[in-house]
Amino acid sequence: MILRWLIVIVIVAIIEFYSFQAFKTITKVKWILTAYQLISLVVIVFVAYQFTQFDRSVGQTKMTMITLGVLLLVLIPKLILSFFMFLEDVFRVFYGSVTHFVGENDKETFLPERRKFFSQLALGFAAIPFLGLVYGMTKGKYNYKVIRQTLFFPDLPDAFDGFTITQISDVHSGSFDNPEKINYAIDLVNQQKTDMILFTGDIVNTHAKEMYPWIETFNRIEDHKFGKYSVLGNHDYGEYVTWPNQNAKDENFHEIKNLYGQIGFKLLLNENVKIKKGNDEIALVGVENWGHNFKQAGDINKAAEGLNAEDFKILMSHDPSHWEYEVKKHPKNFQLTLSGHTHGFQFGIEIPGVFKWSPVQYIYKQWAGLYREFGRYVYVNRGFGFHAYPGRVGIWPEITVFELKKGNSVA
């Protein structure tokens, strides 16, 4: 434990040293430099203190989210500053070595002075994530986007040609702090007027009580002609806190399952239902959470009992790693899987149809949007809410609308 803290202290000291060099190079005004050092010290003390106060029996709170937000707001720009300053030091050592051993060196110091322009450049680059994180914490986390997808299936039953579905995922109601914005998002959901709505898990962060203030709001989601269905996400199991006893954990899990019914959604627990339209039907399959690195309560075979490969199936499975490891090659042929879970890391860059990047792509092969392999689709919703970091940068909260079409893909 002591060694771990020593490593952290050394890393923080290096980051602070290099970051200060950027400011020191640009200005010599003493009060500005003193203010910078004082603010840095206050932030370090605040973050360190809050980390020591984290209570695993409580889990995430508003204060832990604020703490992580402040940490990222300061740390990421300073890491960029440190990177630039370190690069400059590499150049200074190289240049100083050349002039000292090869050229004529009549200067008193071995290293050349830092260049003001380079520090200005470093601050300019550091300002980009700083401003982005500020926007993400104030506006971005409620910057809802309706994303539309038209999907073609040669085996789609004729009556379902043109069938529409709304998907929401990862509500994380315990993180909400703005009723007006949530009501706006519910209005967006209702405006889509689709045939069916599906909710792919994580109604809370941990505790059922997080959703109580929002039940009336989510009950505003209008009835859909072909139903409202849901599955559980990894956070719905209460796995990330310490419980006083197993009974308390079980009771919380029971209450969380009831929450879905309280907002009008039928919770599918490793089971399937038939959706009938005219003379045709499709199967809606819902599994409990199955994650490659998370809880594996999902049972795809149990959920698909009574179905065969020729049946048209829509699978709801919270974690997209389930598709990668079990679903995409499953002999029962799940034509469409809807997932969530990743949130797109709540941080990244997206230019629709051109470029998409997020750190989460180094963990999940399918992490945001539509993917297709073996003639089967998985769609990963970017999430309705937010968790841990109290914001979103570049990866916006999402309401997805699908239209199912009979035929071969135009792609």
Side-chain angles (χ1 to χ4, degrees):
M1 179 63 72
I2 295 177
L3 179 60
R4 186 183 304 172
W5 276 107
L6 285 175
I7 292 172
V8 170
I9 291 170
V10 170
I11 292 173
V12 170
I14 292 172
I15 292 172
E16 289 298 327
F17 169 78
Y18 272 119
S19 300
F20 182 68
Q21 298 308 305
F23 284 90
K24 187 178 178 181
T25 303
I26 288 174
T27 180
K28 303 299 182 183
V29 180
K30 188 173 181 179
W31 74 266
I32 294 178
L33 297 176
T34 302
Y36 169 81
Q37 292 175 309
L38 182 60
I39 292 171
S40 295
L41 178 61
V42 169
V43 169
I44 291 170
V45 171
F46 170 76
V47 171
Y49 174 76
Q50 291 300 330
F51 269 94
T52 64
Q53 298 304 300
F54 180 75
D55 186 348
R56 187 168 169 76
S57 68
V58 175
Q60 177 179 288
T61 65
K62 300 294 184 184
M63 183 54 69
T64 60
M65 294 184 71
I66 291 172
T67 301
L68 182 57
V70 170
L71 176 61
L72 293 176
L73 194 62
V74 173
L75 179 61
I76 293 178
K78 286 191 174 184
L79 283 172
I80 292 174
L81 287 177
S82 299
F83 175 73
F84 273 85
M85 294 299 99
F86 175 75
L87 284 183
E88 187 179 32
D89 274 354
V90 171
F91 169 79
R92 292 168 71 209
V93 170
F94 175 77
Y95 183 82
S97 299
V98 171
T99 57
H100 182 78
F101 294 107
V102 180
E104 295 183 2
N105 184 12
D106 56 357
K107 296 182 180 179
E108 295 182 0
T109 59
F110 174 77
L111 295 176
E113 291 185 355
R114 291 191 181 276
R115 293 164 293 175
K116 185 175 182 180
F117 168 76
F118 202 79
S119 292
Q120 290 172 330
L121 183 66
L123 285 166
F125 274 95
I128 296 173
F130 179 82
L131 295 174
L133 289 164
V134 170
Y135 176 82
M137 294 168 65
T138 55
K139 301 290 185 181
K141 61 186 177 183
Y142 295 126
N143 184 22
Y144 290 97
K145 301 297 181 184
V146 177
I147 297 180
R148 303 182 185 280
Q149 295 281 342
T150 301
L151 305 179
F152 291 84
F153 302 92
D155 55 346
L156 182 70
D158 292 340
F160 286 86
D161 189 14
F163 191 80
T164 54
I165 301 169
T166 297
Q167 181 197 10
I168 60 173
S169 191
D170 300 87
V171 163
H172 289 284
S173 54
S175 301
F176 293 155
D177 56 13
N178 191 323
E180 181 182 352
K181 295 296 185 181
I182 303 304
N183 274 289
Y184 164 73
I186 299 301
D187 289 340
L188 279 180
V189 170
N190 289 333
Q191 289 169 18
Q192 306 315 309
K193 304 295 182 183
T194 56
D195 295 311
M196 184 167 65
I197 184 168
L198 305 178
F199 178 1
T200 45
D202 277 359
I203 196 170
V204 295
N205 295 331
T206 298
H207 298 93
K209 64 184 179 182
E210 297 166 17
M211 185 63 184
Y212 295 162
W214 304 101
I215 289 176
E216 182 177 347
T217 301
F218 278 79
N219 264 319
R220 292 183 50 242
I221 296 178
E222 297 170 355
D223 290 336
H224 287 57
K225 183 177 179 180
F226 291 89
K228 301 161 68 175
Y229 295 92
S230 61
V231 291
L232 296 171
N234 57 303
H235 280 269
D236 294 328
Y237 293 84
E239 297 283 298
Y240 307 115
V241 299
T242 301
W243 296 93
N245 52 62
Q246 187 62 41
N247 286 339
K249 182 180 180 180
D250 293 344
E251 182 178 346
N252 182 70
F253 184 45
H254 178 73
E255 290 179 14
I256 286 174
K257 288 187 288 186
N258 286 340
L259 287 174
Y260 287 96
Q262 291 177 48
I263 61 171
F265 283 78
K266 165 64 177 175
L267 181 63
L268 300 181
L269 299 168
N270 293 325
E271 57 188 309
N272 67 80
V273 297
K274 298 293 181 63
I275 308 297
K276 300 181 184 294
K277 185 179 182 186
N279 295 322
D280 292 325
E281 66 180 23
I282 62 176
L284 179 64
V285 184
V287 295
E288 292 194 50
N289 189 79
W290 192 103
H292 182 59
N293 296 310
F294 290 90
K295 188 175 184 68
Q296 297 184 354
D299 187 334
I300 188 68
N301 294 314
K302 179 181 178 182
E305 282 182 0
L307 303 178
N308 56 54
E310 289 72 37
D311 295 323
F312 189 89
K313 296 172 285 297
I314 298 173
L315 171 66
M316 289 191 291
S317 181
H318 177 73
D319 190 320
S321 67
H322 191 205
W323 190 80
E324 177 64 22
Y325 287 93
E326 284 200 343
V327 175
K328 71 179 183 181
K329 294 183 180 179
H330 197 283
K332 286 202 173 179
N333 183 29
F334 295 90
Q335 290 91 335
L336 174 62
T337 299
L338 301 181
S339 298
H341 179 65
T342 71
H343 304 197
F345 204 66
Q346 296 171 208
F347 181 89
I349 302 170
E350 281 198 88
I351 304 174
V354 179
F355 182 76
K356 182 171 68 173
W357 175 87
S358 168
V360 78
Q361 71 186 54
Y362 305 113
I363 304 172
Y364 287 90
K365 186 176 178 181
Q366 299 83 25
W367 59 274
L370 186 67
Y371 303 83
R372 186 185 186 192
E373 286 188 56
F374 308 108
R376 306 173 187 185
Y377 291 103
V378 61
Y379 188 88
V380 185
N381 184 285
R382 294 161 180 83
F384 185 96
F386 50 93
H387 176 66
Y389 167 61
R392 283 179 174 266
V393 180
I395 308 292
W396 312 122
E398 173 181 359
I399 298 162
T400 321
V401 176
F402 301 95
E403 182 180 15
L404 310 185
K405 297 293 291 183
K406 175 89 172 183
N408 294 313
S409 173
V410 294

